[in-house]
Amino acid sequence: MLLFLSVPQPRPPGARTRAGAARAARWRRRQRLRLQQLRRLRGLLRGLRGRPGAGGRRRGRMALCGQAAGAASLPSELIVHIFSFLPAPDRLRASASCSHWRECLFYPALWPQLRVCLRVSPAEQPRLEFLMRKCGWFVRELRVEFAAENYLSGGGGPGDGGGADPGTGGEEVEALQLSARWLEVLRTYLELVLCVLVSIRNNRNLQKFSLFGDISVLQQQGNLSNTYLSKVDPDGKKIKQIQQLFEEILSNSRQLKWLSCGFMLEIVTPTSLSSLSNSIANTMEHLSLLDNNIPGHSTLITTVELERFVNLRSLALDFCDFTAEMARVLSDSNHVPLQRLSLLVHNVSVMHKSLDNMPNDEHWKALSRRSPSLRVYIMAFDIKSEDMLKILKPSIPLERIHFDSYITCVSGAIVDLISRQYDKFLTHFILMNDVIDTSGFPDLSDNRNEDPLVLLAWRCTKLSLLAIHGYTVWAHNLIAIARLRGSNLKVLEVTEESIDFDQGELADQDVDPVHNLIEQVSLGLGQPWHAVMDIESLSVFTEPNRHFYREMQSFSEDI
């Protein structure tokens, strides 16, 4: 038996009345227009397919499409979809095709995140203004880095006296040292910061906001606010405007999960976080506040303020600001277990702040019990050994540590202490020393049979990165390190000038000591290895604040 079903054709809405007939006619016209557009698009795509042997037929199809078959006739949705597969530079090149494609370039769907690294230069300002005007109101993730390092070359920096007479008065020497070039750097920096903050002040979609101001070259004299800043912004109006804009951004945010502000000149104040609503503070997942210019008795976040951030999973602070009370708050059952903690121990902070309020070993034990997966990253900049002995508590779940120094060197006893206390956690160990010493690099082995670096490689079985510059590393010890850790040591970077050879190795005329070192280390690691010829080729070679900021970002994102 066959059963036939009659399927009624779709009837236009309201076709039975006179008014309904008019609506039906408009509905039919829209349907015909959509069908024509679909046919044109289908013909264009078939023509662009370019199958072999179909040249004449393809030209015929393109001819049927007529004038509307150009790239400008593609629907905006299709252009945006095509742009979504292209990296940002290719999108910019493709947008030069026509005005229609240019209009599609800055669709919000194409720019969910924006990462910008800017030289503090007047030439960057119009580009930044254009980009932020287009994307600032909708971008969800914004990361901006300001760098003044390109102004180091050519003189004119803070230490350039400009030919001043040593016998002149102190005020005259200081006035001569305030080079017009450096004043322009700081003036441009403030304008660029204002441009960024103004463009996102009303962005309620912002979820991740990161700012880094690499102006450390301007801070070498210590008190920047009383010298350069007082010349550029004598009334403090721009600084106040920047601070107010930053607080306005925080108060207007509705989806903010990640807030990071590192070494931005006087942007964050001790009262900035109070602008965040309780609902946003309760859902914040990452918080990073770092500034070396805060007065000795001030902190960017207090213990009372930290109690609002119950959902915090990663935190980055100056070590002197991380107190025992904060450790107690983070250990409380009301808070989500902390996963990542990044701490910067800077000699400037240690000089002006006290270490008396830092967590003791019991606080670290309580924090580790509350957060079993907690891992800590510490960077110590020009810290004395006696201070490091106070800081390195046995119960810290230390995963990464970075020593950087221009004045103070790390002792072998500190390296030995780290290898004994953190053998279960340590994965990254970095030793950087730029001390100018004509007597040569310091030797951590201190004429002992047991080298601290070899013991570190032996005890710390999870070690995956070891970078050394400015400390003597004996060739036979380097071979031992490579053999102990093998292929698990993913990165072994040692500058050529840091490597030294025994007299017996140099006296052997039959073996080239350098070639033998390269061969033995490569065999131990299971991959080709060479010493780093130039310090600037080191993966960790950068300004210390910048390296800490970038390492902290990746460390916190790796949850």
Side-chain angles (χ1 to χ4, degrees):
M1 175 185 295
L2 296 178
L3 180 62
F4 295 92
L5 295 178
S6 176
V7 181
Q9 296 297 320
R11 178 182 297 171
R16 296 195 178 199
T17 63
R18 184 175 297 177
R23 286 197 299 271
R26 289 195 298 270
W27 182 78
R28 292 191 188 95
R29 284 197 298 271
R30 287 197 300 269
Q31 292 295 102
R32 285 197 299 270
L33 182 61
R34 290 174 182 173
L35 185 60
Q36 291 173 3
Q37 292 177 344
L38 182 61
R39 286 173 178 170
R40 285 202 300 268
L41 179 59
R42 189 177 297 167
L44 177 62
L45 294 177
R46 287 175 180 172
L48 293 174
R49 190 171 298 166
R51 291 174 298 185
R57 193 167 43 187
R58 181 169 63 255
R59 285 191 295 271
R61 288 171 180 163
M62 292 294 287
L64 289 175
C65 296
Q67 295 289 333
S73 66
L74 291 174
S76 300
E77 292 78 5
L78 182 59
I79 298 175
V80 172
H81 185 64
I82 294 173
F83 279 176
S84 67
F85 293 97
L86 301 177
D90 291 342
R91 289 181 201 167
L92 295 174
R93 297 188 191 98
S95 67
S97 302
C98 61
S99 60
H100 181 45
W101 282 42
R102 215 159 29 245
E103 293 173 359
C104 298
L105 176 63
F106 290 104
Y107 266 55
L110 293 175
W111 303 94
Q113 55 180 310
L114 193 62
R115 301 186 179 185
V116 185
C117 186
L118 294 168
R119 293 181 299 110
V120 182
S121 165
E124 297 282 9
Q125 188 166 349
R127 306 171 193 169
L128 180 65
E129 289 177 350
F130 172 79
L131 186 62
M132 298 309 300
R133 185 173 64 251
K134 291 290 186 180
C135 301
W137 60 277
F138 63 76
V139 66
R140 293 180 178 273
E141 178 183 342
L142 178 62
R143 182 181 296 182
V144 184
E145 293 186 22
F146 300 93
E149 59 196 9
N150 292 334
Y151 286 82
L152 280 170
S153 59
D160 186 3
D165 183 5
T168 59
E171 293 181 358
E172 295 179 359
V173 173
E174 182 180 1
L176 289 172
Q177 288 179 344
L178 296 179
S179 168
R181 184 183 183 190
W182 286 101
L183 292 175
E184 182 63 24
V185 170
L186 185 54
R187 189 178 294 110
T188 304
Y189 166 79
L190 295 178
E191 292 296 333
L192 294 177
V193 173
L194 276 172
C195 175
V196 172
L197 298 183
V198 168
S199 65
I200 63 172
R201 64 193 302 178
N202 296 317
N203 186 344
R204 296 175 180 265
N205 297 321
L206 196 62
Q207 297 179 3
K208 298 182 71 173
F209 184 33
S210 300
L211 286 175
F212 174 77
D214 183 13
I215 56 168
S216 61
V217 289
L218 300 178
Q219 298 172 359
Q220 288 175 356
Q221 299 299 321
N223 196 350
L224 178 65
S225 299
N226 295 333
T227 53
Y228 291 92
L229 193 57
S230 62
K231 300 291 183 180
V232 174
D233 188 24
D235 300 329
K237 292 182 178 179
K238 282 192 175 181
I239 288 295
K240 290 180 181 177
Q241 183 183 2
I242 288 174
Q243 292 173 353
Q244 291 172 357
L245 282 170
F246 185 76
E247 293 178 1
E248 185 178 349
I249 292 168
L250 297 185
S251 62
N252 290 336
S253 62
R254 295 295 180 269
Q255 304 181 40
L256 195 62
K257 305 289 184 184
W258 181 293
L259 178 61
S260 178
C261 192
F263 313 104
M264 297 294 294
L265 178 61
E266 296 193 22
I267 287 185
V268 185
T269 66
T271 60
S272 296
L273 289 181
S274 61
S275 303
L276 280 171
S277 64
N278 287 330
S279 59
I280 297 300
N282 292 341
T283 57
M284 188 80 72
E285 296 180 357
H286 171 83
L287 182 62
S288 170
L289 298 176
L290 298 159
D291 193 345
N292 291 333
N293 287 312
I294 295 298
H297 299 291
S298 301
T299 59
L300 295 178
I301 182 172
T302 62
T303 304
V304 176
E305 194 70 51
L306 186 62
E307 290 178 350
R308 295 201 299 156
F309 295 84
V310 294
N311 202 47
L312 211 59
R313 287 173 168 79
S314 60
L315 177 65
L317 292 174
D318 189 291
F319 184 85
C320 294
D321 293 341
F322 186 69
T323 63
E325 283 297 309
M326 287 189 177
R328 182 193 59 78
V329 168
L330 294 172
S331 304
D332 194 273
S333 59
N334 294 331
H335 282 69
V336 170
L338 193 68
Q339 306 291 319
R340 297 288 185 270
L341 179 60
S342 302
L343 299 171
L344 176 64
V345 194
H346 203 284
N347 65 328
V348 175
S349 297
V350 174
M351 282 191 298
H352 295 93
K353 298 180 181 181
S354 174
L355 293 175
D356 297 337
N357 297 323
M358 65 179 178
N360 58 32
D361 199 50
E362 293 301 320
H363 292 120
W364 283 110
K365 287 180 180 178
L367 190 57
S368 298
R369 284 195 299 267
R370 174 59 183 159
S371 309
S373 57
L374 173 65
R375 296 296 179 266
V376 178
Y377 164 45
I378 292 179
M379 179 174 180
F381 183 77
D382 265 335
I383 304 299
K384 299 177 181 178
S385 296
E386 52 266 29
D387 290 330
M388 286 306 304
L389 291 174
K390 299 177 185 177
I391 291 169
L392 296 174
K393 305 299 182 185
S395 299
I396 299 177
L398 186 64
E399 183 178 283
R400 306 181 185 192
I401 189 163
H402 179 168
F403 291 99
D404 209 314
S405 57
Y406 294 116
I407 302 172
T408 306
C409 296
V410 177
S411 66
I414 295 296
V415 178
D416 186 64
L417 177 69
I418 291 172
S419 66
R420 286 187 284 106
Q421 290 189 166
Y422 311 116
D423 56 307
K424 296 180 181 178
F425 303 104
L426 194 69
T427 62
H428 291 56
F429 188 82
I430 299 172
L431 274 178
M432 298 286 290
N433 173 31
D434 288 328
V435 177
I436 301 176
D437 189 354
T438 56
S439 60
F441 292 148
D443 186 359
L444 294 176
S445 62
D446 199 19
N447 297 323
R448 294 181 301 177
N449 293 328
E450 296 179 343
D451 184 78
L453 292 174
V454 176
L455 291 176
L456 181 85
W458 175 57
R459 291 168 176 159
C460 302
T461 57
K462 294 183 178 180
L463 190 67
S464 60
L465 184 147
L466 179 61
I468 303 170
H469 165 70
Y471 292 87
T472 299
V473 182
W474 295 98
H476 61 272
N477 289 332
L478 194 58
I479 295 172
I481 291 171
R483 290 174 177 174
L484 283 168
R485 292 276 54 88
S487 59
N488 293 325
L489 188 58
K490 305 299 181 183
V491 178
L492 176 60
E493 293 186 338
V494 183
T495 53
E496 185 187 34
E497 55 187 331
S498 301
I499 301 174
D500 204 349
F501 296 88
D502 290 332
Q503 292 299 323
E505 294 175 322
L506 296 175
D508 191 350
Q509 300 295 328
D510 298 331
V511 179
D512 181 1
V514 176
H515 182 271
N516 180 66
L517 173 66
I518 295 173
E519 181 181 8
Q520 293 300 320
V521 174
S522 299
L523 287 173
L525 297 177
Q527 60 179 346
W529 178 88
H530 288 85
V532 179
M533 305 298 293
D534 184 5
I535 182 177
E536 296 186 6
S537 301
L538 277 171
S539 61
V540 298
F541 178 76
T542 182
E543 194 274 326
N545 289 343
R546 177 182 291 273
H547 178 79
F548 178 80
Y549 169 80
R550 291 181 174 177
E551 189 72 9
M552 176 271 298
Q553 293 278 109
S554 62
F555 182 61
S556 300
E557 290 172 348
D558 189 30
I559 298 178

